[in-house]
Amino acid sequence: MIVSEKMKAVLVHYNQALTLYKSRKFVEAKEEFKKGLAIHPEDGPSKLYIERCDDYIADPPPEDWDGVYNMKTK
């Protein structure tokens, strides 16, 4: 499978954002996910993580958070 230069750029931002997210740096992670979306606006995973970042910015997870997102609605 050949990955376009555009998608490679998106992946750079996505991977950086995911690292920030797992480090509980939700504001910074959100900004990095948004950079990926600026390149590829249809990137579903980045959109999803932006929503999760917003949730955790508003209501941070507990200190012993293991990175698992618990859905609030079904």
Side-chain angles (χ1 to χ4, degrees):
M1 181 166 129
I2 297 173
V3 178
S4 70
E5 291 303 314
K6 177 180 171 181
M7 284 310 296
K8 286 180 184 177
V10 171
L11 286 171
V12 167
H13 292 294
Y14 182 84
N15 288 327
Q16 177 64 29
L18 204 54
T19 298
L20 291 164
Y21 177 88
K22 290 177 180 178
S23 298
R24 302 173 58 98
K25 296 179 181 177
F26 303 112
V27 173
E28 296 91 335
K30 179 180 175 180
E31 291 307 310
E32 202 64 32
F33 284 122
K34 287 168 70 175
K35 288 177 185 177
L37 279 179
I39 298 167
H40 182 59
E42 304 306 314
D43 183 40
S46 289
K47 289 179 183 180
L48 176 68
Y49 272 105
I50 287 171
E51 290 177 17
R52 291 179 179 182
C53 285
D54 285 337
D55 287 347
Y56 284 141
I57 290 166
D59 185 21
E63 288 301 318
D64 63 347
W65 179 64
D66 60 2
V68 173
Y69 181 81
N70 294 314
M71 295 181 66
K72 295 180 170 92
T73 60
K74 197 171 187 183

Coordinates of all heavy atoms in Angstrom, one line a residue:
M1 N 0.8 -1.2 0.0 CA 0.0 0.0 0.0 C 0.9 1.2 0.0 O 1.8 1.4 0.8 CB -0.9 0.0 1.2 CG -1.8 1.1 1.3 SD -3.1 0.8 2.6 CE -2.9 2.3 3.5
I2 N 0.6 2.1 -0.9 CA 1.3 3.4 -1.0 C 0.6 4.5 -0.2 O -0.6 4.7 -0.4 CB 1.5 3.8 -2.4 CG1 2.3 2.7 -3.2 CG2 2.2 5.2 -2.5 CD1 2.4 3.0 -4.7
V3 N 1.3 5.2 0.7 CA 0.7 6.2 1.4 C 1.1 7.6 0.8 O 2.3 7.8 0.6 CB 1.2 6.2 2.9 CG1 0.6 7.3 3.7 CG2 0.8 4.8 3.5
S4 N 0.2 8.4 0.5 CA 0.5 9.7 -0.1 C 1.2 10.6 0.9 O 1.2 10.4 2.1 CB -0.8 10.4 -0.5 OG -1.6 10.8 0.6
E5 N 1.9 11.6 0.3 CA 2.6 12.6 1.1 C 1.7 13.3 2.1 O 2.0 13.6 3.2 CB 3.4 13.6 0.3 CG 4.6 12.9 -0.5 CD 5.6 12.3 0.5 OE1 6.0 12.9 1.5 OE2 6.0 11.1 0.2
K6 N 0.5 13.6 1.6 CA -0.6 14.2 2.4 C -0.9 13.4 3.6 O -0.9 13.9 4.7 CB -1.8 14.5 1.5 CG -3.0 15.1 2.2 CD -4.1 15.2 1.2 CE -5.4 15.6 1.9 NZ -6.5 15.8 1.0
M7 N -1.1 12.1 3.4 CA -1.4 11.2 4.6 C -0.3 11.1 5.5 O -0.4 11.0 6.7 CB -2.0 9.9 4.1 CG -3.4 10.0 3.6 SD -4.6 10.8 4.7 CE -4.5 9.7 6.1
K8 N 0.9 11.1 5.0 CA 2.1 11.0 5.8 C 2.2 12.2 6.7 O 2.5 12.1 7.9 CB 3.4 10.9 5.0 CG 3.6 9.6 4.3 CD 4.9 9.6 3.5 CE 5.1 8.3 2.8 NZ 6.3 8.3 1.9
A9 N 1.8 13.4 6.2 CA 1.8 14.6 7.0 C 0.7 14.5 8.1 O 1.0 14.9 9.2 CB 1.6 15.8 6.1
V10 N -0.4 14.0 7.7 CA -1.5 13.8 8.7 C -1.1 12.9 9.8 O -1.3 13.2 11.0 CB -2.8 13.3 8.0 CG1 -3.8 12.9 9.0 CG2 -3.3 14.3 7.0
L11 N -0.4 11.8 9.4 CA 0.1 10.8 10.4 C 1.1 11.4 11.4 O 1.1 11.0 12.6 CB 0.6 9.6 9.7 CG -0.5 8.7 9.1 CD1 0.2 7.6 8.3 CD2 -1.3 8.1 10.2
V12 N 1.9 12.3 10.9 CA 2.9 12.9 11.8 C 2.2 13.7 12.9 O 2.5 13.5 14.1 CB 3.8 13.9 11.0 CG1 4.6 14.8 12.0 CG2 4.8 13.1 10.1
H13 N 1.2 14.5 12.5 CA 0.4 15.2 13.5 C -0.4 14.3 14.4 O -0.5 14.5 15.6 CB -0.5 16.2 12.8 CG 0.2 17.3 12.1 ND1 0.9 18.3 12.8 CD2 0.3 17.6 10.8 CE1 1.5 19.1 12.0 NE2 1.1 18.8 10.7
Y14 N -1.0 13.3 13.8 CA -1.9 12.3 14.6 C -1.0 11.6 15.6 O -1.4 11.5 16.8 CB -2.5 11.3 13.6 CG -3.4 10.3 14.3 CD1 -4.7 10.7 14.6 CD2 -2.9 9.1 14.7 CE1 -5.6 9.8 15.3 CE2 -3.7 8.2 15.4 CZ -5.0 8.6 15.6 OH -5.9 7.7 16.3
N15 N 0.1 11.1 15.2 CA 1.0 10.4 16.2 C 1.5 11.3 17.3 O 1.5 10.9 18.5 CB 2.1 9.7 15.5 CG 1.7 8.5 14.7 OD1 0.8 7.8 15.0 ND2 2.4 8.3 13.6
Q16 N 1.8 12.6 17.0 CA 2.3 13.5 18.0 C 1.1 13.8 18.9 O 1.3 13.9 20.2 CB 2.8 14.8 17.3 CG 3.2 15.9 18.3 CD 4.3 15.5 19.2 OE1 5.2 14.7 18.8 NE2 4.4 16.0 20.4
A17 N -0.1 14.0 18.3 CA -1.3 14.3 19.2 C -1.6 13.1 20.1 O -2.0 13.3 21.3 CB -2.5 14.6 18.2
L18 N -1.5 11.9 19.6 CA -1.8 10.8 20.4 C -0.8 10.6 21.6 O -1.2 10.3 22.7 CB -1.7 9.5 19.5 CG -2.5 8.3 20.0 CD1 -4.0 8.6 20.3 CD2 -2.4 7.2 19.0
T19 N 0.4 11.0 21.4 CA 1.4 11.0 22.4 C 1.0 12.0 23.5 O 1.1 11.7 24.7 CB 2.8 11.2 21.9 OG1 3.2 10.2 21.0 CG2 3.8 11.3 23.0
L20 N 0.7 13.2 23.1 CA 0.2 14.2 24.0 C -1.0 13.8 24.8 O -1.1 14.0 26.0 CB 0.0 15.5 23.2 CG 1.2 16.2 22.7 CD1 0.8 17.3 21.6 CD2 2.0 16.8 23.8
Y21 N -2.0 13.2 24.0 CA -3.2 12.7 24.6 C -2.9 11.7 25.8 O -3.5 11.8 26.9 CB -4.1 12.1 23.5 CG -5.4 11.5 24.0 CD1 -6.5 12.3 24.1 CD2 -5.5 10.2 24.3 CE1 -7.7 11.8 24.5 CE2 -6.7 9.7 24.7 CZ -7.8 10.5 24.8 OH -9.0 9.9 25.2
K22 N -2.1 10.8 25.5 CA -1.8 9.7 26.4 C -1.0 10.3 27.6 O -1.0 9.7 28.7 CB -1.0 8.6 25.8 CG -1.9 7.8 24.8 CD -1.1 6.7 24.1 CE -1.9 5.9 23.2 NZ -1.2 4.9 22.5
S23 N -0.4 11.5 27.4 CA 0.3 12.1 28.5 C -0.5 13.1 29.2 O 0.0 14.0 30.0 CB 1.6 12.9 27.9 OG 2.5 12.0 27.3
R24 N -1.8 13.1 29.0 CA -2.8 13.9 29.6 C -2.7 15.4 29.2 O -3.2 16.3 29.9 CB -2.8 13.8 31.1 CG -3.0 12.3 31.6 CD -2.8 12.2 33.1 NE -3.6 13.1 33.8 CZ -4.8 12.7 34.4 NH1 -5.2 11.5 34.3 NH2 -5.5 13.6 35.1
K25 N -2.1 15.7 28.1 CA -1.9 17.1 27.7 C -3.0 17.3 26.6 O -2.7 17.4 25.4 CB -0.5 17.3 27.1 CG 0.6 17.1 28.2 CD 2.0 17.3 27.6 CE 3.0 17.1 28.7 NZ 4.4 17.2 28.2
F26 N -4.2 17.4 27.1 CA -5.4 17.4 26.2 C -5.5 18.7 25.3 O -5.9 18.6 24.2 CB -6.7 17.2 27.0 CG -6.6 15.9 27.7 CD1 -6.6 15.9 29.1 CD2 -6.5 14.7 27.1 CE1 -6.5 14.7 29.8 CE2 -6.4 13.5 27.8 CZ -6.4 13.5 29.2
V27 N -5.1 19.8 25.9 CA -5.2 21.1 25.1 C -4.2 21.0 23.9 O -4.6 21.3 22.8 CB -4.9 22.3 26.0 CG1 -4.8 23.6 25.1 CG2 -6.0 22.5 27.0
E28 N -3.0 20.6 24.2 CA -2.0 20.5 23.2 C -2.3 19.4 22.2 O -2.1 19.6 21.0 CB -0.6 20.2 23.8 CG -0.1 21.3 24.7 CD -0.5 21.1 26.2 OE1 -1.5 20.5 26.5 OE2 0.2 21.7 27.1
A29 N -2.8 18.3 22.7 CA -3.2 17.2 21.8 C -4.3 17.7 20.8 O -4.3 17.4 19.6 CB -3.7 16.0 22.6
K30 N -5.3 18.4 21.3 CA -6.4 18.9 20.5 C -5.8 19.8 19.4 O -6.2 19.6 18.2 CB -7.4 19.7 21.3 CG -8.5 20.3 20.5 CD -9.5 21.0 21.4 CE -10.5 21.7 20.6 NZ -11.5 22.5 21.5
E31 N -4.9 20.6 19.7 CA -4.3 21.5 18.7 C -3.6 20.7 17.6 O -3.6 21.0 16.4 CB -3.4 22.5 19.3 CG -4.1 23.6 20.2 CD -5.2 24.3 19.4 OE1 -5.0 24.7 18.3 OE2 -6.4 24.3 19.9
E32 N -2.9 19.6 18.0 CA -2.2 18.8 17.1 C -3.1 18.0 16.2 O -2.9 17.9 15.0 CB -1.2 17.9 17.8 CG -0.1 17.4 17.0 CD 0.9 18.4 16.5 OE1 1.1 19.5 17.2 OE2 1.5 18.2 15.4
F33 N -4.2 17.5 16.8 CA -5.2 16.8 15.9 C -5.8 17.8 14.9 O -6.1 17.4 13.8 CB -6.3 16.2 16.8 CG -6.0 15.0 17.6 CD1 -6.0 14.9 18.9 CD2 -5.6 13.8 16.9 CE1 -5.7 13.8 19.6 CE2 -5.2 12.7 17.6 CZ -5.3 12.6 18.9
K34 N -6.0 19.0 15.3 CA -6.6 20.0 14.4 C -5.6 20.3 13.3 O -6.1 20.6 12.1 CB -6.9 21.3 15.2 CG -8.2 21.2 16.1 CD -8.3 22.3 17.1 CE -8.7 23.6 16.4 NZ -9.0 24.6 17.4
K35 N -4.4 20.3 13.5 CA -3.4 20.5 12.4 C -3.5 19.4 11.4 O -3.4 19.6 10.2 CB -2.0 20.5 13.0 CG -1.6 21.7 13.7 CD -0.2 21.7 14.3 CE 0.1 22.8 15.2 NZ 1.4 22.7 15.8
G36 N -3.7 18.1 11.8 CA -4.0 17.0 10.9 C -5.3 17.2 10.1 O -5.3 17.0 8.9
L37 N -6.3 17.7 10.8 CA -7.6 17.9 10.1 C -7.5 19.1 9.1 O -8.2 19.1 8.1 CB -8.7 18.3 11.1 CG -9.3 17.1 11.8 CD1 -10.4 17.7 12.8 CD2 -10.0 16.2 10.9
A38 N -6.6 20.0 9.3 CA -6.4 21.1 8.4 C -5.9 20.5 7.0 O -6.2 21.1 6.0 CB -5.5 22.1 8.9
I39 N -5.1 19.5 7.1 CA -4.6 18.8 5.9 C -5.6 17.9 5.3 O -5.8 17.8 4.1 CB -3.3 18.0 6.3 CG1 -2.2 19.0 6.8 CG2 -2.8 17.2 5.1 CD1 -1.0 18.3 7.5
H40 N -6.3 17.1 6.2 CA -7.3 16.1 5.7 C -8.5 16.3 6.5 O -8.7 15.6 7.5 CB -6.7 14.7 5.8 CG -7.6 13.7 5.3 ND1 -8.1 13.6 4.0 CD2 -8.1 12.6 5.9 CE1 -8.8 12.6 3.9 NE2 -8.9 11.9 5.0
P41 N -9.5 17.1 6.1 CA -10.6 17.4 6.9 C -11.6 16.2 7.2 O -12.4 16.3 8.1 CB -11.4 18.5 6.1 CG -10.3 19.1 5.3 CD -9.4 18.0 5.0
E42 N -11.4 15.2 6.5 CA -12.3 14.0 6.6 C -11.7 13.0 7.6 O -12.2 11.8 7.7 CB -12.6 13.4 5.3 CG -13.2 14.3 4.3 CD -14.4 15.0 4.8 OE1 -15.3 14.3 5.4 OE2 -14.6 16.2 4.7
D43 N -10.6 13.3 8.3 CA -10.0 12.3 9.2 C -10.8 12.0 10.4 O -10.8 12.8 11.3 CB -8.6 12.8 9.6 CG -7.8 11.8 10.4 OD1 -7.9 10.6 10.1 OD2 -7.2 12.2 11.4
G44 N -11.5 10.9 10.3 CA -12.5 10.6 11.4 C -11.8 10.4 12.8 O -12.3 10.9 13.8
P45 N -10.7 9.6 12.8 CA -10.0 9.4 14.1 C -9.6 10.7 14.8 O -9.8 10.9 16.0 CB -8.8 8.6 13.8 CG -9.3 7.8 12.6 CD -10.1 8.8 11.8
S46 N -9.1 11.7 14.0 CA -8.8 13.0 14.6 C -10.0 13.7 15.2 O -10.0 14.3 16.2 CB -8.0 13.9 13.6 OG -6.7 13.3 13.4
K47 N -11.1 13.7 14.4 CA -12.3 14.3 14.9 C -12.8 13.7 16.2 O -13.2 14.4 17.1 CB -13.4 14.1 13.8 CG -13.2 15.0 12.6 CD -14.3 14.7 11.6 CE -14.1 15.5 10.3 NZ -15.2 15.2 9.4
L48 N -12.7 12.4 16.3 CA -13.1 11.6 17.5 C -12.3 12.0 18.7 O -12.8 12.4 19.8 CB -13.1 10.1 17.3 CG -13.4 9.3 18.5 CD1 -14.9 9.4 18.8 CD2 -13.0 7.8 18.2
Y49 N -11.0 12.1 18.5 CA -10.1 12.4 19.6 C -10.2 13.9 20.0 O -10.0 14.2 21.2 CB -8.6 12.1 19.2 CG -8.2 10.7 19.6 CD1 -8.1 9.7 18.6 CD2 -8.0 10.3 20.9 CE1 -7.8 8.4 18.9 CE2 -7.7 9.0 21.3 CZ -7.6 8.1 20.3 OH -7.3 6.8 20.6
I50 N -10.6 14.8 19.1 CA -10.8 16.2 19.5 C -12.0 16.2 20.4 O -12.0 16.9 21.4 CB -11.0 17.0 18.2 CG1 -9.7 17.3 17.5 CG2 -11.7 18.4 18.6 CD1 -9.8 17.9 16.1
E51 N -13.0 15.5 20.1 CA -14.2 15.4 21.0 C -13.8 14.9 22.4 O -14.2 15.4 23.4 CB -15.3 14.5 20.4 CG -16.0 15.1 19.2 CD -17.0 14.1 18.6 OE1 -17.4 13.1 19.3 OE2 -17.4 14.3 17.5
R52 N -13.0 13.9 22.4 CA -12.5 13.3 23.7 C -11.6 14.3 24.4 O -11.7 14.4 25.7 CB -11.8 12.0 23.4 CG -12.7 10.9 23.0 CD -12.0 9.6 22.7 NE -12.9 8.6 22.3 CZ -12.6 7.3 22.0 NH1 -11.3 6.9 22.1 NH2 -13.5 6.5 21.6
C53 N -10.8 15.0 23.7 CA -10.0 16.0 24.4 C -10.9 17.1 25.0 O -10.6 17.5 26.2 CB -9.0 16.7 23.3 SG -7.6 15.7 22.9
D54 N -11.9 17.5 24.3 CA -12.8 18.5 24.8 C -13.5 18.0 26.1 O -13.6 18.7 27.1 CB -13.9 18.8 23.8 CG -13.4 19.8 22.7 OD1 -12.4 20.5 22.9 OD2 -14.1 19.8 21.7
D55 N -13.9 16.7 26.1 CA -14.5 16.1 27.3 C -13.5 16.1 28.5 O -13.8 16.5 29.6 CB -14.9 14.6 27.1 CG -16.1 14.5 26.2 OD1 -16.8 15.6 26.0 OD2 -16.4 13.4 25.7
Y56 N -12.2 15.7 28.2 CA -11.2 15.7 29.3 C -10.7 17.1 29.7 O -10.3 17.2 30.8 CB -10.1 14.8 28.9 CG -10.4 13.3 28.9 CD1 -9.9 12.4 28.0 CD2 -11.1 12.8 30.0 CE1 -10.2 11.1 28.0 CE2 -11.4 11.5 30.1 CZ -11.0 10.6 29.1 OH -11.2 9.3 29.2
I57 N -10.8 18.0 28.8 CA -10.4 19.4 29.2 C -11.5 19.9 30.2 O -11.2 20.5 31.2 CB -10.3 20.3 28.0 CG1 -9.1 20.0 27.1 CG2 -10.3 21.8 28.4 CD1 -9.1 20.6 25.7
A58 N -12.8 19.6 29.9 CA -13.9 20.0 30.8 C -13.9 19.2 32.1 O -14.3 19.8 33.1 CB -15.2 19.9 30.0
D59 N -13.6 18.0 32.0 CA -13.7 17.1 33.1 C -12.5 16.1 33.1 O -12.7 15.0 32.5 CB -15.0 16.3 33.1 CG -15.3 15.5 34.3 OD1 -14.6 15.7 35.4 OD2 -16.1 14.6 34.3
P60 N -11.4 16.5 33.6 CA -10.2 15.6 33.5 C -10.4 14.2 34.1 O -11.2 14.0 35.1 CB -9.1 16.4 34.3 CG -9.6 17.8 34.4 CD -11.1 17.7 34.4
P61 N -9.7 13.2 33.5 CA -9.8 11.9 34.1 C -9.1 11.8 35.4 O -8.3 12.6 35.7 CB -9.1 11.0 33.0 CG -8.2 12.0 32.4 CD -8.8 13.3 32.4
P62 N -9.3 10.7 36.2 CA -8.6 10.5 37.4 C -7.1 10.3 37.3 O -6.7 10.0 36.2 CB -9.3 9.3 38.0 CG -9.9 8.5 36.9 CD -10.2 9.6 35.9
E63 N -6.4 10.6 38.3 CA -4.9 10.5 38.3 C -4.5 9.1 37.8 O -3.4 9.0 37.2 CB -4.3 10.8 39.6 CG -4.4 12.3 40.0 CD -3.7 13.2 39.0 OE1 -2.6 12.8 38.5 OE2 -4.3 14.2 38.6
D64 N -5.2 8.0 38.1 CA -4.8 6.7 37.7 C -5.4 6.3 36.4 O -5.4 5.1 36.0 CB -5.2 5.7 38.8 CG -6.7 5.6 39.0 OD1 -7.5 6.5 38.5 OD2 -7.2 4.6 39.7
W65 N -5.7 7.2 35.5 CA -6.3 7.0 34.2 C -5.4 6.1 33.4 O -4.2 6.4 33.3 CB -6.5 8.4 33.6 CG -7.1 8.3 32.2 CD1 -8.3 7.9 31.8 CD2 -6.5 8.8 31.0 NE1 -8.5 8.0 30.4 CE2 -7.4 8.6 29.9 CE3 -5.3 9.4 30.7 CZ2 -7.1 9.0 28.6 CZ3 -5.0 9.8 29.4 CH2 -5.9 9.6 28.4
D66 N -5.9 5.1 32.7 CA -5.1 4.2 32.0 C -5.2 4.5 30.5 O -4.8 3.6 29.6 CB -5.5 2.8 32.3 CG -7.0 2.5 32.0 OD1 -7.7 3.3 31.5 OD2 -7.4 1.3 32.3
G67 N -5.8 5.6 30.1 CA -6.0 5.9 28.7 C -7.3 5.4 28.0 O -7.5 5.8 26.9
V68 N -8.0 4.7 28.8 CA -9.3 4.2 28.2 C -10.4 5.2 28.3 O -10.5 5.9 29.4 CB -9.7 2.9 29.0 CG1 -11.1 2.5 28.5 CG2 -8.7 1.8 28.8
Y69 N -11.1 5.4 27.3 CA -12.2 6.4 27.3 C -13.5 5.7 27.6 O -13.9 4.8 27.0 CB -12.3 7.1 25.9 CG -13.4 8.2 25.8 CD1 -13.1 9.4 26.3 CD2 -14.6 7.9 25.3 CE1 -14.1 10.4 26.3 CE2 -15.6 8.9 25.2 CZ -15.3 10.1 25.8 OH -16.3 11.1 25.7
N70 N -14.2 6.2 28.6 CA -15.5 5.7 29.0 C -16.6 6.6 28.4 O -16.7 7.7 28.7 CB -15.6 5.6 30.5 CG -14.6 4.7 31.1 OD1 -14.5 3.5 30.6 ND2 -13.9 5.1 32.2
M71 N -17.4 5.9 27.5 CA -18.4 6.7 26.9 C -19.5 7.1 27.9 O -19.8 6.4 28.8 CB -19.1 5.9 25.8 CG -18.1 5.6 24.7 SD -18.8 4.6 23.3 CE -20.0 5.7 22.7
K72 N -20.0 8.3 27.7 CA -21.0 8.8 28.7 C -22.4 8.5 28.2 O -23.4 8.5 29.0 CB -20.8 10.3 28.8 CG -19.5 10.6 29.5 CD -19.3 12.1 29.6 CE -18.1 12.4 30.5 NZ -16.8 12.6 29.9
T73 N -22.6 8.3 26.9 CA -24.0 7.9 26.4 C -23.8 6.8 25.4 O -22.7 6.5 24.9 CB -24.6 9.1 25.7 OG1 -23.7 9.5 24.6 CG2 -24.8 10.3 26.6
K74 N -24.9 6.2 25.2 CA -24.9 5.0 24.3 C -25.3 5.4 22.9 O -26.1 6.3 22.6 CB -25.9 4.0 24.8 CG -25.7 2.6 24.2 CD -26.5 1.6 25.0 CE -26.2 0.3 24.5 NZ -27.1 -0.7 25.2

